[in-house]
Amino acid sequence: GGRLVLGVGVGWSEAEFRALGHDFHRRGRRLDEAIDLFRVAWRDDPVTFHGEFTRLDRVRILPQPGRPVPMWVGGGSPAAERRAVARGDGFQLIGVTPAEAAPVVARLREARPDEGFTVSLRTGWDPQGMDPRRIADEAAAYAAAGVQHVVAAPWRTTLEDWLRSMDLLAELVPGQLRRAV
């Protein structure tokens, strides 16, 4: 139903790159190429792609999505912002306050004013362990800063408790953001 959004980022663990035999310092170029490859693979059949890290000649990658899959670049660096503007369909902020989000949103909107470019934020809201007024106030402040989408990650450890937190969040922040998850 068009609900899939792919979140991409360069990663932060040099040890993980070493374990895979890849150069940590080339991770940005590798991600740029991966984003380009996804777009081609989801559009063309067969796929031909000649990049720095990947070479495909007339490869069939099926099934292809029925519609374009938005890619939101996550991160907290100027390079991540530039990557989102150049190659992404959105930007995913992580763990910033509304005051910290506002200048990032302003920079992104200056470079990508189109409505389809989504500014999202990941937060740890959990109404079973936080003052609900704080969550509602933060939701309003993020919306005022230009954040359109919030991914909430309650700290509950059981499915039942997690679902209860999500239900409570849906009651606390309806309509303040385009979507609240």
Side-chain angles (χ1 to χ4, degrees), residues 29 36 41 47 66 72 122 126 133 139-140 169 171 181:
R29 290 186 0 232
D36 295 344
V47 176
W72 295 354
R122 183 178 186 273
D126 189 339
R133 288 181 308 253
L169 280 170
E171 293 171 15
V181 176

Side-chain angles (χ1 to χ4, degrees), residues 2 5 17 24 30 47 49 72 81 83 88 100 103 120 132 150 153:
V5 174
F17 281 82
F24 178 75
R30 186 174 288 278
V47 176
F49 184 88
W72 295 354
E81 291 176 31
R83 181 168 290 109
E100 293 165 333
S120 181
V150 171

Side-chain angles (χ1 to χ4, degrees), residues 53-126:
F53 305 100
T54 307
R55 180 181 176 91
L56 301 175
D57 288 301
R58 298 191 50 76
V59 173
R60 296 197 74 202
I61 301 174
L62 300 173
Q64 292 177 314
R67 59 183 60 129
V69 175
M71 285 189 267
W72 295 354
V73 176
S77 69
E81 291 176 31
R82 288 190 301 272
R83 181 168 290 109
V85 166
R87 287 185 160 81
D89 302 299
F91 188 72
Q92 176 76 33
L93 292 155
I94 301 169
V96 297
T97 66
E100 293 165 333
V104 176
V105 173
R107 286 191 302 272
L108 292 167
R109 284 289 166 228
E110 183 176 333
R112 287 290 298 273
D114 51 305
E115 180 82 18
F117 185 87
T118 301
V119 179
S120 181
L121 171 108
R122 183 178 186 273
T123 183
W125 288 340
D126 189 339

Side-chain angles (χ1 to χ4, degrees), residues 6-11 17 23-39 49 52-54 71-75 79-80 83-84 87-88:
L6 181 64
V8 299
V10 296
F17 281 82
D23 182 355
F24 178 75
H25 302 288
R26 293 173 32 169
R27 68 193 190 280
R29 290 186 0 232
R30 186 174 288 278
L31 178 57
D32 289 346
E33 183 174 301
I35 293 169
D36 295 344
L37 174 57
F38 275 126
R39 298 226 190 262
F49 184 88
E52 179 181 354
F53 305 100
T54 307
M71 285 189 267
W72 295 354
V73 176
R83 181 168 290 109
R87 287 185 160 81

